[in-house]
Amino acid sequence: MSPTALVLADPRSPLGIRATLEALGAAEVLLAHHGGGKLVLGLLGHSLGALRETAAGWGADEVLLLDDARLAVFQAETYAWAAETIVKRLSSPTVVVLPGSTLGRELVGRLSARLRGGGTSEALELDLEDTGGIRVRRPLFGGKASETVSLPAPAVVSLRANAFAPPEPPRPSRVVPVLLPDPGAGSAGAHLLERLPVPVSDTPPLTQAPVVVSGGRGLHGPENWPLLEDLARALGAGLGASRAVVDAGWRPASEQVGQTGSSVSPQLYVAVGISGAIQHLVGMSSSRCIVAINTDPSAPIFKVADYGIVGDALVLLPPLTEAVRRVRAGVVP
Ligand SMILES: Cc1cc2nc3c(=O)[nH]c(=O)nc-3n(C[C@H](O)[C@H](O)[C@H](O)COP(=O)(O)OP(=O)(O)OC[C@H]3O[C@@H](n4cnc5c(N)ncnc54)[C@H](O)[C@@H]3O)c2cc1C
């Protein structure tokens, strides 16, 4: 029997949509390596009108659409139940691929428990096994090492953000509505008591951002962070920090990159005034392209950097930001 891959969409934000396209790309390559198969996109939510048309062009063979008022607000338990409903519409999918977004990370454990199958997160590579299961490579020790695990079907796998390319070229799909059953034993066990507003930020979340700009003690104080924020804004980047600046109270712990912070693997990582201690490197050295700015030419960060600028960040950041703005605006310097 040819394999079936189900991708669950996270259409709640542009980053979620990008992560969904990466998941579709990963599933498409996986099936293509094994002579083809069926690629299904599960689209969950409420009032999905326009999105339903857009998602129908993302490259799946079929879109299973579950549009229900109970999905108007994201609640992991309710969404896991809805995702299970979609999985059960398919006759034994080989793999459920979840985007490398908060939705993917929230659902991977819950959905695999509901399906009584295997599950893992942060996948860097996927491969089908002859036995019908799936092989997944995932990072260990903050990206310093990796391991390959085998999961029986139906395997539930969430991806590492930015590790896979979107499908190319997308093609139109058939849209099939699915109904969420009445609440029963399998329905949500949690109830929403209160919603706390997330602080509004004009930079994308660190772990999903395709570009990250990080600052270290070389910025000499929190009063200089606007320089880094300007560069991040110009690049559409997420903001990161070394532990030294988090410990000093210059930046929140949520921005820390490294062994005891977040692991990131963006397309571009800009390290400003960061020495490149091993505990920082394990959280970012898998980035596709690394640019470092440091006054010390022998700083260890330059050993992993693709491009290095030796100089004072406080002097270099404003013209660099200006140059980025001009290039992005189409004005060649
Ligand atoms: C168990 C453990 C876990 C840890 N986990 C983490 C972690 O998760 N993440 C993490 O980052 N660290 C972690 N650390 C700390 C780590 O060892 C380093 O101390 C820390 O990364 C250093 O931060 P930094 O590079 O900002 O500061 P520094 O090491 O002080 O480096 C500052 C750099 O800025 C340069 N500089 C100075 N002035 C300028 C200027 N004007 N312009 C440009 N460059 C300038 C200097 O040349 C220097 O290279 C951990 C340590 C331990 C023991």
Side-chain angles (χ1 to χ4, degrees):
M1 199 171 66
S2 65
T4 298
L6 169 67
V7 170
L8 286 179
D10 181 358
R12 300 171 304 149
S13 68
L15 280 169
I17 289 175
R18 192 193 145 83
T20 303
L21 291 173
E22 289 173 9
L24 279 165
E28 188 181 69
V29 170
L30 178 77
L31 295 173
H33 276 170
H34 291 265
K38 188 171 178 188
L39 178 55
V40 179
L41 178 69
L43 186 57
L44 314 176
H46 185 47
S47 296
L48 294 168
L51 195 68
R52 157 201 173 120
E53 305 306 321
T54 316
W58 283 345
D61 297 309
E62 187 173 87
V63 176
L64 294 181
L65 174 77
L66 208 165
D67 192 328
D68 190 291
R70 286 166 286 181
L71 302 175
V73 172
F74 178 77
Q75 268 185 281
E77 282 298 330
T78 317
Y79 266 67
W81 168 44
E84 181 188 8
T85 305
I86 288 210
V87 173
K88 288 187 171 160
R89 278 292 301 256
L90 301 168
S91 55
S92 55
T94 314
V95 58
V96 181
V97 184
L98 300 174
S101 64
T102 43
L103 178 139
R105 285 189 287 276
E106 286 274 10
L107 293 190
V108 65
R110 289 179 171 87
L111 186 57
S112 53
R114 282 173 173 271
L115 300 178
R116 302 195 191 291
T120 187
S121 54
E122 293 284 296
L124 297 167
E125 279 172 22
L126 307 174
D127 201 5
L128 290 175
E129 292 184 319
D130 296 337
T131 52
I134 184 153
R135 215 170 15 248
V136 180
R137 191 167 73 80
R138 63 183 184 188
L140 283 178
F141 307 122
K144 193 75 183 151
S146 66
E147 67 174 356
T148 301
V149 293
S150 281
L151 302 171
V156 182
V157 179
S158 72
L159 305 182
R160 171 163 268 214
N162 303 310
F164 296 87
E168 197 76 54
R171 58 205 145 89
S173 352
R174 186 168 81 100
V175 180
V176 181
V178 176
L179 292 178
L180 195 57
D182 285 335
S187 72
H191 300 281
L192 185 67
L193 297 177
E194 187 187 2
R195 287 190 78 76
L196 299 174
V198 176
V200 179
S201 161
D202 58 354
T203 55
L206 177 63
T207 53
Q208 289 173 46
V211 179
V212 172
V213 172
S214 273
R217 203 147 42 185
L219 279 164
H220 296 286
E223 66 280 7
N224 292 320
W225 238 260
L227 296 175
L228 205 69
E229 285 162 351
D230 278 351
L231 178 61
R233 235 173 267 121
L235 287 166
L239 272 178
S242 71
R243 176 165 163 176
V245 307
V246 170
D247 286 352
W250 297 0
R251 300 303 298 173
S254 57
E255 288 183 5
Q256 186 180 316
V257 172
Q259 184 183 321
T260 41
S262 297
S263 290
V264 298
S265 54
Q267 308 288 326
L268 173 63
Y269 187 90
V270 185
V272 184
I274 292 180
S275 57
I278 183 66
Q279 295 91 351
H280 188 82
L281 298 186
V282 294
M284 47 61 76
S285 56
S286 62
S287 305
R288 196 148 297 171
C289 177
I290 298 172
V291 175
I293 303 176
N294 200 302
T295 42
D296 176 4
S298 59
I301 191 75
F302 287 127
K303 293 207 173 85
V304 297
D306 299 283
Y307 299 94
I309 307 173
V310 177
D312 184 343
L314 304 181
V315 175
L316 289 169
L317 281 173
L320 180 62
T321 301
E322 185 51 29
V324 169
R325 281 210 188 98
R326 287 168 66 85
V327 169
R328 297 201 88 184
V331 184
V332 180

